Amino acid sequence: MEQVQEKQRTEEFDASEIEYVIYGGEHHLPLIMNLVDQELSEPYSIFTYRYFVYLWPQLSFMAFHKGKCVGTVVCKMGDHRDSKFRGYIAMLVVIKPYRGRGIATELVTRSIQVMMESGCEEVTLEAEVTNKGALALYGRLGFIRAKRLFRYYLNGVDAFRLKLLFPQPEELHPFLPMMADRDDTQNHDDHSPREEFLLKSILFSEVVCKFSSLV
Amino acid sequence: MDRHALHQPSSSSSSIPATANTVWTDASPLLEVACKDLRDGELIHVDNFNLYAAMSALEIMDPKMDSGIVNRYCSVDEAIEDGVAPVPISTDKTTDVQCMIDIMDHLLTCEATWHKGHSLAQTVFSCAYLLRPERTSSHALLHSYCKVIRATCKAVITVVSDARTHEEEDLFTMAYGLPLSGDGDEKCLSLLNAVEENISRQLRACKAPSSKRKPLEDIEPLQTNFDLEEGYCKALLCRLRFRKHFFHVLTCMRRPQGRGLELARKHIASCISELGVILKSAEFLMSNAHGTCEDATEDRTTASGHQAIGFDASLNSRISAPTPPRSIKILSWKKAIEYFEKLLHDLDIICSYPLDPSLEVLLRFVAQFQKAQPDLVARAHLQLLLVQDGKLYGKCPMFSLIIRAARLPEVFLHHDIQKNEYVVQLGQLVINMLKILCTNAAWQRRKLGKILQDWRVIYVQIELAFRKDFGEGSSISNGDNASARILKHILIWVDEQTYWISHRFLILGFELELYSPSEYCMVYWYLYVVLIRLAEKTHLKMTVSDGSAKQKGKKRKDSPKELARDAKIPPAISFLQCQICLAEGLTVLLAALRNELMVLQSPSPFNSEHEVKYVLMYMVVNIIIHLNNKEMFQNIIEFQMIKRGNNGYSLHK
């Protein structure tokens, strides 16, 4: 879905004047719809909005400045393929005069916080490859570009699937499917999958440090 | 609920005529009652009303979603009755010719727009003339041109459809309800030739010097303005010739086993030459355009700048995709020509490939070809050339490809082991890999990551079979046992190929801009490891095959020359070593920047580097971790020490 982030003329305000509100009911829906309709070219039917805010009201937030709605984030979460419990950021909008001041970051952060607390293992979204603002915002939050989707948008532009993986406690981490098949072919120390992976990571840092000293 | 309301047609609004299967009635009263019944926020839906359903839902009468609201016509026939596509286009011959050229130009831009990823219905078949083939029969030029367009579209759809690997092709090949196979379209070229011949005669007639202007043949001129006759004849001829040659390119390239490639190249050259003439004709066409020139900008879809007659993108909205058709922007005429120039250039590269039976050479060719970012049509042609009837180029069985790739002698080409189930499966994996390598880079990378697992599995299966049949610790010099030798070689090659795929997976990430600078260090590190393993396996493969070859040779003292030759590093290995050094250098550089200068780190409030690594690298780590930790670590450090110890670089053993 779409994300909008470009800097243009700004409105003067102090960050403390922005009030962040969780979705509270039908009275918030027209505010969200107007904001998104105004900023995005893709038309979303009212069913789309209702789908998100009715099923996951705890994941949608709005930013108000002096009673005016200036930004919103709309999300969902649920079981995905590979039985991963995954959060998804569907829409993110901040009106032009209020951009570049961290409002979008704050909205997204709040959503992600709720997702994490609800037990999500990861969060994903799509963003146009040309949307530098969104890519920078999510990059700062630790999202990486997991995939590139060819001509994802109707105008022919590619998209990145951005993904944020939460740290998992060792026992729960679903690991690489191949690990189970290896036992008969390898003769090595018997590490658990997670341990193996951690060893690899340590190896990486260790070798990297060794390399630095070899230079 | 008042059922009676349903059956009372409101006389003011049943403007849609009833047909054999449908009778329209006004549902507004029913909807009004339903609306009053629902409270704010209530929704009536079926159980499986999910996100997809929500997003595909329409708000009726919202012009952004309900394309019927903005349609001028309910059907093609209504549009035609309204005079959208007159035949002849104009009673004035000059205007008729001008409009004909505009139609040809606009069709070219529609075709390019279609190739670039939009639906056929909204692009090429937005032309009303194409939608009713029988109507144009009285106008030879229009009729033959429409036929060749339909035949060309059909040929291209067949190619893309035959090469289908995933969803990218689906929108392209969707032609439901469109008259793709007009009656007699196969004979389009002979009709086109006849028209071309006629116009050539008209051109010759108007160029004949005035003294000799006795009509040698009773030729009626193309149009009424003598001064413009030459210009318009030429403008038409280059367009007709382009279409003729382009159609020939498609048919030649489809000939099995690459037999038509050389001839295709000749037609490609002709196409490119005609495109040049088409471009040059713009000046003449713009300056003589009927009426005022409407659009001289770069956005115009015709050479003359005039809007072409007979096109309406909404004509097919009812048979288009189930989701509401959004309005699309047709490419400009200049951009369309550029598109075809690129397409022809890419097809030419394919046609000039010498169909090398070596997999190594082929893989390098495909990787190089992909760097030019060829579009779908070119990629589909490449795939169909490479994989036909389950064989390479339609001639080399997979087993022979594998034998050669594993550097086994040709005598094994007919060995029975080709019937072994794992060897057969391996052949399938190779076919699948070749097809994947012909897809767009984004999808290719994801798919390559996924097949790594399959390649690992087949390795394990073959290895198990080998151990079962030949026991542990068989050396390669189990001379007489051909099967053992074949399997051993194949195993080494499978390993090598797996690392090649891993390498491509990593490198494509750069092309696709997937890595951010804070991830580079890790990427180069993994590239480094993969390259070392790849070089190792390649070297092993070469050593093993040379070793077996040597055994068969006469027993004689190795001459100094031979020893020297053996000590020389094969170019393939040298090349890999260069890349290894590059990867190593970059890893160290970036590591130093991180560790010493504290730059290029990515502090995230939600996770750490572990998670980043996991998401980005799990496919490749999958491959690398089949090694023992210590072993891998040791390999790398040893490699470092050898490098520092020797003058030249050589692989440790």
Side-chain angles (χ1 to χ4, degrees), chain A residues 164-213:
Chain A
L164 176 73
L165 193 68
F166 293 127
Q168 296 298 315
E170 264 186 58
E171 325 77 77
L172 292 180
H173 209 340
F175 200 64
L176 314 163
M178 268 314 295
M179 290 301 295
D181 299 336
R182 287 181 41 239
D183 300 339
D184 48 339
T185 57
Q186 318 303 332
N187 49 341
H188 61 286
D189 301 330
D190 210 3
H191 298 294
S192 80
R194 179 66 179 167
E195 279 179 76
E196 284 277 7
F197 188 75
L198 283 174
L199 275 166
K200 272 338 148 283
S201 313
I202 292 164
L203 192 63
F204 169 41
S205 330
E206 232 187 282
V207 175
V208 157
C209 290
K210 271 206 152 60
F211 277 175
S212 294
S213 65

Side-chain angles (χ1 to χ4, degrees), chain B residues 63 181 323 357 429 558 566:
Chain B
S181 308
T323 49
L429 285 184
D558 287 322
D566 289 346

Side-chain angles (χ1 to χ4, degrees), chain B residues 120-133:
Chain B
L120 190 60
Q122 277 183 286
T123 53
V124 180
F125 279 87
S126 65
C127 177
Y129 291 112
L130 282 175
L131 289 170
R132 292 287 180 270

Side-chain angles (χ1 to χ4, degrees), chain B residues 6-39:
Chain B
L6 281 174
H7 300 291
Q8 266 172 11
S10 166
S11 51
S12 58
S13 49
S14 53
S15 53
I16 307 169
T19 64
N21 297 317
T22 51
V23 178
W24 296 93
T25 193
D26 189 359
S28 317
L30 172 61
L31 288 173
E32 268 177 49
V33 172
C35 284
K36 288 204 190 85
D37 231 19
L38 284 171
R39 282 187 306 251

Side-chain angles (χ1 to χ4, degrees), chain B residues 383-398:
Chain B
Q383 195 211 298
L384 289 180
L385 174 67
L386 296 186
V387 181
Q388 290 169 41
D389 300 324
K391 299 195 193 106
L392 184 70
Y393 318 129
K395 347 184 228 204
C396 311
M398 283 299 126

Side-chain angles (χ1 to χ4, degrees), chain A residues 3 25-26 49 61 77 91 119 123 132 147 155 165 173 201:
Chain A
Q3 327 284 328
E26 189 71 17
Y49 294 104
F61 290 86
M77 65 185 170
M91 307 174 214
V123 182
K132 304 266 183 252
K147 291 180 192 172
N155 56 3
L165 193 68
H173 209 340
S201 313

Side-chain angles (χ1 to χ4, degrees), chain B residues 167-184:
Chain B
E167 322 77 50
E168 187 192 355
E169 295 90 356
D170 290 349
L171 181 63
F172 187 91
T173 54
M174 210 159 38
Y176 177 71
L178 298 175
L180 261 184
S181 308
D183 216 20

